[in-house]
């Protein structure tokens, strides 16, 4: 009953020509029954958006500024994203939280702006290794889920909210969560969403797994009952590996 959503987070990779080539190849090979999206660097959103025209592949942004406009050097607003045809926006990615020291209240403001702007929000949550070792995984995930304004998300509907569970220790490390570890946290997230809203809402929200997902481990992760797609970093930089993951979600 949930359509899987597989999104590629290109991070600070590609140049204009390779971004357009990658988007063109993804658009040509995307499976029909899976929602597929790509999130290029800001500066290539326009060119990638043009390359995706006429395809079902959605255009995503890796980040956004919560402010509407003004003196915010280096930042881009939701209105600018709308102007470029952006469909989904990531908030709370671990690299924003940890490398750029983005605190929870800033993440929360961004998530609210994304929902208010009518985009699909892909809200990333996940624990660091020391937090997992200290049995704090579910507490960390719950606190990060609390960054989403329940009223705003509820008003926009379950289709506009996607949660990406990305254990920090699995991102870009080659070490993925096991199928069971992923399912355990995904089931917890769904039950937390049901407590916050209701079971019907929670049953319709897509929960992606992210963290070293690749063609070899995708099928096992994606066949877990509460895993509804993936947020893919490294493996999204090549069309064949990204499309193999998207096909594994079919
Ligand atoms: C990510 O950064 O969202 C991610 C999942 O990266 P990777 O697939 O490279 O671990």
């Amino acid at each position: 009953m949930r359509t899987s959503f597989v999104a590629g987070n290109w991070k600070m990779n590609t140049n204009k020509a390779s971004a357009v080539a990658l988007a063109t190849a993804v658009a040509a090979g995307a499976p029909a029954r899976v929602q597929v999206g790509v999130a290029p660097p800001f500066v290539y959103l326009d060119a990638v958006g043009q390359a995706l025209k006429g395809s079902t592949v959605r255009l995503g942004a890796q980040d956004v500024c919560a402010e509407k406009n003004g003196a915010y050097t280096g930042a881009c607003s939701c209105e600018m994203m709308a102007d470029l045809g952006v469909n989904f926006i990531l908030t709370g990615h671990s690299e924003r939280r940890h490398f750029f020291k983005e605190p929870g209240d800033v993440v929360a403001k961004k998530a609210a702006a994304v929902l208010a702007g009518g985009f699909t929000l892909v809200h990333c949550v996940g624990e660091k290794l020391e937090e997992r070792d200290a049995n704090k995984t579910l507490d960390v995930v719950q606190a990060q889920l609390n960054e989403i304004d329940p009223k705003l998300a509820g008003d926009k509907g379950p289709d506009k909210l996607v949660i990406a569970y990305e254990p920090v220790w699995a991102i870009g490390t080659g070490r993925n969560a096991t199928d069971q570890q992923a399912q355990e946290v995904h089931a917890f997230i769904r039950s937390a969403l049901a407590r916050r809203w209701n079971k019907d809402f929670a049953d319709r929200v897509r929960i992606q797994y992210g963290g070293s997902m690749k063609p070899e481990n995708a099928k096992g992760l994606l066949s877990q009952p509460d895993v509804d797609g993936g947020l893919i970093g490294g493996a999204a930089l090549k069309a064949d590996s990204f499309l193999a993951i998207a096909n594994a979600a079919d």
Side-chain angles (χ1 to χ4, degrees):
M1 87 203 209
R2 293 183 294 268
T3 304
S4 295
F5 180 27
V6 175
N9 172 12
W10 296 355
K11 309 192 184 186
M12 199 170 71
N13 292 298
T14 68
N15 57 31
K16 190 173 175 186
S18 66
V20 168
L22 181 53
T24 305
V26 169
R33 289 185 303 184
V34 176
Q35 245 175 47
V36 175
V38 294
F42 281 159
V43 287
Y44 304 135
L45 276 168
D46 199 14
V48 166
Q50 299 299 330
L52 296 178
K53 276 233 162 78
S55 86
T56 56
V57 177
R58 290 156 191 243
L59 183 65
Q62 300 173 19
D63 183 35
V64 76
C65 178
E67 306 301 332
K68 282 195 161 51
N69 61 273
Y72 301 100
T73 301
C76 294
S77 69
C78 282
E79 204 174 308
M80 293 169 183
M81 299 304 156
D83 213 9
L84 295 178
V86 165
N87 169 271
F88 68 95
I89 302 182
L90 311 187
T91 55
H93 191 280
S94 78
E95 287 150 19
R96 302 289 328 165
R97 291 182 191 273
H98 303 303
F99 297 168
F100 294 96
K101 306 274 179 273
E102 211 168 274
D105 59 329
V106 170
V107 176
K109 271 184 87 176
K110 290 184 176 188
V114 169
L115 286 167
F119 303 92
T120 295
L121 170 67
V122 178
H123 187 66
C124 305
V125 301
E127 80 288 2
K128 295 191 264 185
L129 188 57
E130 59 267 32
E131 292 165 337
R132 173 162 282 268
D133 288 344
N135 266 329
K136 289 192 177 143
T137 297
L138 303 184
D139 295 339
V140 170
V141 167
Q142 180 67 66
Q144 294 170 338
L145 288 174
N146 290 346
E147 292 161 350
I148 303 165
D149 178 341
K151 168 100 177 58
L152 203 43
D155 289 352
K156 300 293 170 185
D159 298 342
K160 291 287 189 186
L161 177 62
V162 175
I163 306 297
Y165 170 56
E166 302 205 298
V168 179
W169 47 271
I171 296 180
T173 59
R175 178 182 165 197
N176 60 286
T178 64
D179 302 348
Q180 292 71 23
Q181 284 171 326
Q183 170 55 25
E184 190 192 359
V185 181
H186 281 233
F188 169 79
I189 291 171
R190 202 172 304 286
S191 65
L193 298 177
R195 283 194 296 279
R196 206 103 187 270
W197 287 276
N198 56 62
K199 186 169 178 327
D200 178 59
F201 183 93
D203 281 345
R204 291 167 60 196
V205 171
R206 271 84 54 82
I207 307 175
Q208 298 174 317
Y209 169 79
S212 298
M213 198 190 264
K214 36 191 180 280
E216 304 81 66
N217 60 24
K219 196 81 210 170
L221 287 159
L222 291 166
S223 59
Q224 297 305 308
D226 288 295
V227 177
D228 310 311
L231 183 55
I232 322 298
L237 294 173
K238 290 216 159 62
D240 56 353
S241 52
F242 181 60
L243 290 171
I245 296 171
N247 274 299
D250 197 352

